[in-house]
Amino acid sequence: MAIELQSLEVVASAPGPRVLLTGGVHGDEWEPMAALRRLHGVLSGRLARGRVRLIPCVNEAAFALGARTAHDGLDLARTCPGNLTGSVTEQTAWALSQQIADCDYYCDLHTGGTRLQVWPLAGYMLHPEPRVLEAQRRMARVFGLPLVWGTDHRLNGRSLSVARDQQIPAIYCEYLGGGGLSEAGVQAYLRGCLNLLADLGMVDQPVVEPPAEQRVVEDPRPSAGHMQINHPTPMAGFFEPRVRLGEWVSRNAVLGEVCDITGRRTETVCARYAGQVIVLHTYARIEADTSVAVVLEEKAAEAAQ
Ligand SMILES: [Zn+2]
């Protein structure tokens, strides 16, 4: 039997865009789940135009484990568009892809999960079609988070890859993580979604323009935006970061130290270039070859404002 995603929906009496908002593509990312449930309550009776479909937890099988992935070990964000008759994650990816095909704008909310913290950002693919790219730039900016990050459009398997292939403007967002539930994160996601809907003319409230200090970076290099391959640890063990999330570091700065359980053997992981720490591994247990941090290069092309 095919997997059916549990969704909430608000339909206005006047026509307008169809928007899809998802959380829980990874099963250990809490703020999106809480924010989308609350947003459903806020929007009911207030949506002026169009349709908003909310899926607070796409990956229920992973959520049941309190883990990023389900028991088949596949990352849902690498499995799209999935397979109707495949494993649980492949089926979930297929069901998600059907939902994406049925919308005009898509926003996929994430966090770093239990092991990582991510500097609040809205990201998008540098779509070759100018109409889609412009819409994505605007969506990411009005979401109102500190960082806006456009990256290589050729990455596959993502929810955004499905939207890309169908020319549907789409963004993803990240907000901290680390295992707890951040009320600030829930509120930021609630505000961001509402402002996005206001900007699309679906909710009657003034659009808040992006904050002046928002950093906009576009980096078309292959694999930019692939967070799992940056600054790997040489050994498994106990990891302690030596930088803070959001901090600007110089080249060769110590990002963190990993040691064995006695502390007799210690290795350091250093920044390969200067930039801002936008992802940090905050879970003390770490496996070998795992990324300890993503540093967004200082000289990465700042997009035209
Ligand atoms: Zn995620």
Side-chain angles (χ1 to χ4, degrees), residues 26 29 68 110-111:
H26 296 122
E29 300 179 357
R68 179 177 171 88
H110 289 251
T111 77

Side-chain angles (χ1 to χ4, degrees), residues 105-107 123-125 132 136 139 160 163-164 168-172:
Y105 298 92
Y106 176 42
C107 176
Y124 52 91
M125 290 180 170
V132 178
Q136 294 182 156
M139 290 165 74
L160 259 54
R164 172 201 63 202
I168 295 165
I171 62 169
Y172 72 97

Side-chain angles (χ1 to χ4, degrees), residues 2 18 23 45 52 82 92 98 101 129 133 164 181-183 189 274 280:
R18 301 166 304 158
V52 179
T92 304
Q98 306 308 302
E129 169 63 41
L133 179 57
R164 172 201 63 202
L181 177 65
S182 157
E183 177 60 22
Y189 273 169
L280 193 58

Side-chain angles (χ1 to χ4, degrees), residues 17-159:
R18 301 166 304 158
V19 171
L20 176 65
L21 305 169
T22 57
V25 160
H26 296 122
D28 60 352
E29 300 179 357
W30 318 131
E31 287 82 354
M33 302 177 194
L36 292 181
R37 283 196 303 269
R38 283 195 220 172
L39 181 63
H40 178 249
V42 171
L43 285 179
S44 300
R46 245 192 91 186
L47 190 71
R49 280 163 285 278
R51 182 197 83 189
V52 179
R53 189 171 288 160
L54 312 102
I55 306 176
C57 183
V58 172
N59 198 340
E60 281 187 62
F63 177 68
L65 299 176
R68 179 177 171 88
T69 61
H71 46 77
D72 61 11
L74 294 177
D75 187 335
L76 179 51
R78 305 290 179 271
T79 307
C80 291
N83 180 348
L84 176 60
T85 56
S87 71
V88 62
T89 303
E90 290 172 317
Q91 288 190 38
T92 304
W94 186 87
L96 173 59
S97 301
Q98 306 308 302
Q99 293 289 340
I100 295 169
D102 189 37
C103 76
D104 303 310
Y105 298 92
Y106 176 42
C107 176
D108 189 17
L109 302 177
H110 289 251
T111 77
T114 46
R115 285 161 192 261
L116 305 174
Q117 291 200 339
V118 187
W119 189 241
L121 68 89
Y124 52 91
M125 290 180 170
L126 293 167
H127 202 288
E129 169 63 41
R131 175 193 66 84
V132 178
L133 179 57
E134 275 313 311
Q136 294 182 156
R137 282 180 172 142
R138 178 68 189 168
M139 290 165 74
R141 293 214 62 195
V142 296
F143 207 92
L145 297 174
L147 176 63
V148 167
W149 195 22
T151 51
D152 185 14
H153 71 276
R154 287 160 293 190
L155 294 177
N156 288 319
R158 273 80 170 164
S159 58

